[in-house]
Amino acid sequence: MEQETWIQNILDSTNGITPVVPNEKLWTKIHNKIQQQTYVTPKTVWLVAASIAILVVLNITVMKTKAQEKTTTPTSYFENTLNKSNQLYQ
């Protein structure tokens, strides 16, 4: 009961407040700024979405090819880096 009275007192505390009237110049300036705001066209949104999708696909394919390249054994890497002519000095 006491809690409900407290809540009602809090809600009633705003009854005597008068609403604030904004400055007419400021209100007009804000309203004009909102009217001048440009929006992004749906075509631009789709182009950005398509470019992001292309980048994701490219990243996935590069990661897959790099993973396949890493499956080589260390000995095969060593064999590929050896000099084929068996000469110590060139």
Side-chain angles (χ1 to χ4, degrees):
M1 181 69 178
E2 185 177 316
Q3 184 178 5
E4 291 175 13
T5 307
W6 179 72
I7 292 172
Q8 192 61 38
N9 285 340
I10 297 295
L11 291 174
D12 290 340
S13 68
T14 60
N15 287 343
I17 297 176
T18 58
V20 178
V21 179
N23 184 354
E24 189 63 34
K25 274 186 162 180
L26 180 62
W27 180 256
T28 307
K29 189 175 181 180
I30 291 171
H31 188 64
N32 288 338
K33 194 74 159 180
I34 291 171
Q35 295 297 326
Q36 291 175 356
Q37 187 175 8
T38 58
Y39 295 99
V40 179
T41 62
K43 180 180 178 182
T44 306
V45 173
W46 281 108
L47 287 173
V48 169
S51 63
I52 290 172
I54 289 171
L55 287 174
V56 167
V57 169
L58 285 174
N59 281 331
I60 290 172
T61 55
V62 167
M63 287 172 42
K64 282 184 179 181
T65 56
K66 289 291 182 183
Q68 290 173 355
E69 289 175 4
K70 286 186 178 181
T71 58
T72 59
T73 61
T75 55
S76 65
Y77 174 75
F78 182 67
E79 290 171 358
N80 289 334
T81 58
L82 281 177
N83 191 356
K84 303 293 183 199
S85 66
N86 286 332
Q87 296 293 323
L88 291 176
Y89 303 106
Q90 293 192 15

